[in-house]
Amino acid sequence: MKSDLLNLTEDQRTIRDLAREFAKNEIAPYIAEWDENAYFEPSIVQKMGDLGFLGMLIPEEYEGLGLDTSTYLIALEEIAVVDASTAVLMSVHNSLPTQMILRFGTDEQKNRFLPGMARGEILGAFALSEPDAGSDAAALTTQAVHEGDEWVLNGTKSWVTSGNHAGAIITMARTDTPRDRKGARGIGAFIITPDLPGFHVGKKEDKLGLRASPTVQLTFDNLRVPATNLLGLPHMGFVYAMQSLENGRLGIAAQAVGIARAALEAATAYAAERHQFDRPIREFQAIQFKLADMATRVAASRTLLHAAARAKDRGENVKQATSMAKLFASETAMFATNQAVQIFGGYGYVKDYPVERLFRDAKVTEIYEGTSEIQRIVIAREQYHEHR
Ligand code: COS
């Protein structure tokens, strides 16, 4: 972008440049191969931990960087420009499990998990969805039964990002009984560790995009969790998950902005070098209009995202703003990557250029952490609230 609409501080520029360098050196050379082979490189986690990227929102007392949300999202966008798979790992870890432990955990839980999570020794994951509970998340059926000083969990979780490499998986499970169902108010949140007996990693998904980020099913077969791993109150897990998804949705919006920006940058460069009818194709208005629309939507997405992030850090209610940011940014990612493929023509449809991967990676941003339809529902509901 020609002008810096965000007016970054000196510190934000330093962190942005650090993220840019890391992505350029440690990810860019390998991403085509990782994508092709659906390969996850575990050493990336430690490298990100060493640089502080896995503790960006964790306070310094727990060995994190204790940054504000905007600064974190600036770093996340830089990673996503190069690789959306690494960006989702970073987003989930920073936005969901670490934040849930920080907000709802006991001092003991914070001390036990957060320093290791900040250092990159414990990767975090979030397990809410199930095979039959997606958009209707409160319909989940994984059951937790309290027995002495343990909870016993049975059930299957779906679509768990990094679930086969995680050391702490925040898992939502029913704490009400089959005879006395309490809907969204009958769900607890548990910190599950993979060493617990009864923990099984199931099917690894073979995905259209984000192929370098593993997505797995997890099955709990009489999994015994110490009661000290329950987060907060036993019936409040769904509410905690919803509150935390507000952070998560900002992370996915930053990821989507990164994907869209990568498409814009690739298409801008290509339109200058590609000649047809004796001139660079960027001299045609058909191409200029596409680039203009892409650039405008990228700038608008980023502006909305950071306005929501700043409002969140001021402690305002950002339910609607985070859903708006996620909705607009993910639709922008889909729009921009589609336009980029069109500008590249046949070369956009093959793996010789990155826009083919960007197009595949963009789609999931309209699906996970709440589909675009769910974001519209949240936005509309908040609208009614304002006019009640
Ligand atoms: N902050 C605080 N509390 C929230 C909240 C939020 N952002 N969102 C919901 N809650 C609370 C509600 O206030 C309600 O509490 P009460 O029982 O006191 O009224 C409770 O949680 C249940 O909420 P609601 O009645 O809105 O639940 P619904 O079952 O209607 O579900 C949607 C609401 C559809 C918005 C929710 O299920 C959702 O976001 N679905 C998408 C799930 C998702 O994003 N999955 C992706 C997982 S990561 S791959």
Side-chain angles (χ1 to χ4, degrees), residues 27-306:
I27 305 171
Y30 315 107
I31 185 55
E33 197 185 322
W34 293 348
D35 171 62
E36 178 72 17
N37 300 324
Y39 175 73
F40 169 68
E41 175 49 56
S43 67
I44 282 290
V45 177
Q46 195 52 62
K47 285 177 187 162
M48 293 178 92
D50 292 344
L51 291 169
F53 292 148
L54 297 180
M56 299 196 88
L57 301 174
I58 296 176
E60 288 177 15
E61 63 173 305
Y62 299 111
E63 301 188 32
L65 297 183
L67 295 169
D68 61 90
T69 305
S70 270
T71 307
Y72 153 59
L73 297 173
I74 287 161
L76 188 46
E77 178 186 325
E78 289 306 318
I79 306 282
V81 167
V82 171
D83 176 27
S85 290
T86 307
V88 73
L89 174 150
M90 179 172 163
S91 174
V92 169
H93 177 94
N94 279 285
S95 304
L96 295 167
T98 55
Q99 288 303 295
M100 286 183 85
I101 294 172
L102 193 61
R103 274 178 88 174
F104 310 113
T106 60
D107 285 346
E108 186 276 324
Q109 288 168 340
K110 291 180 200 171
N111 285 314
R112 184 150 47 110
F113 289 101
L114 292 179
M117 293 179 94
R119 290 195 300 264
E121 288 157 13
I122 304 173
L123 184 60
F126 178 79
L128 175 66
S129 300
E130 297 183 355
D132 296 317
S135 289
D136 186 6
L140 65 88
T141 59
T142 293
Q143 185 70 51
V145 177
H146 202 183
E147 276 185 23
D149 55 6
E150 290 177 327
W151 288 84
V152 182
L153 268 64
N154 280 287
T156 297
K157 291 290 173 185
S158 302
W159 316 116
V160 185
T161 299
S162 315
N164 53 343
H165 291 272
I169 303 140
I170 308 294
T171 301
M172 272 44 74
R174 305 217 72 85
T175 49
D176 55 8
T177 63
R179 285 167 150 224
D180 184 21
R181 285 290 183 228
K182 297 201 166 64
R185 289 294 178 135
I187 293 170
F190 298 86
I191 311 172
I192 304 289
T193 56
D195 56 302
L196 294 171
F199 176 90
H200 303 289
V201 175
K203 180 178 170 223
K204 177 174 174 260
E205 305 296 345
D206 187 5
K207 296 177 297 181
L208 174 72
L210 293 195
R211 291 176 57 78
S213 156
T215 304
V216 296
Q217 269 198 350
L218 298 177
T219 298
F220 311 133
D221 182 11
N222 285 323
L223 177 93
R224 303 190 86 85
V225 196
T228 49
N229 283 24
L230 173 72
L231 264 188
L233 299 168
H235 63 283
M236 285 292 285
F238 183 80
V239 177
Y240 301 155
M242 287 297 120
Q243 285 176 349
S244 306
L245 276 170
E246 291 175 9
N247 302 314
R249 288 167 183 167
L250 290 178
I252 300 308
Q255 180 200 32
V257 171
I259 297 169
R261 191 182 113 202
L264 172 63
E265 289 174 356
T268 304
Y270 185 78
E273 80 195 27
R274 171 73 171 170
H275 283 66
Q276 291 291 279
F277 305 103
D278 299 326
R279 68 190 69 176
I281 60 170
R282 74 170 178 194
E283 291 184 13
F284 295 106
Q285 280 193 334
I287 302 297
Q288 292 168 6
F289 286 4
K290 287 192 197 318
L291 293 172
D293 287 345
M294 291 159 77
T296 303
R297 292 194 200 190
V298 169
S301 302
R302 189 188 289 113
T303 306
L304 184 55
L305 169 64
H306 286 275

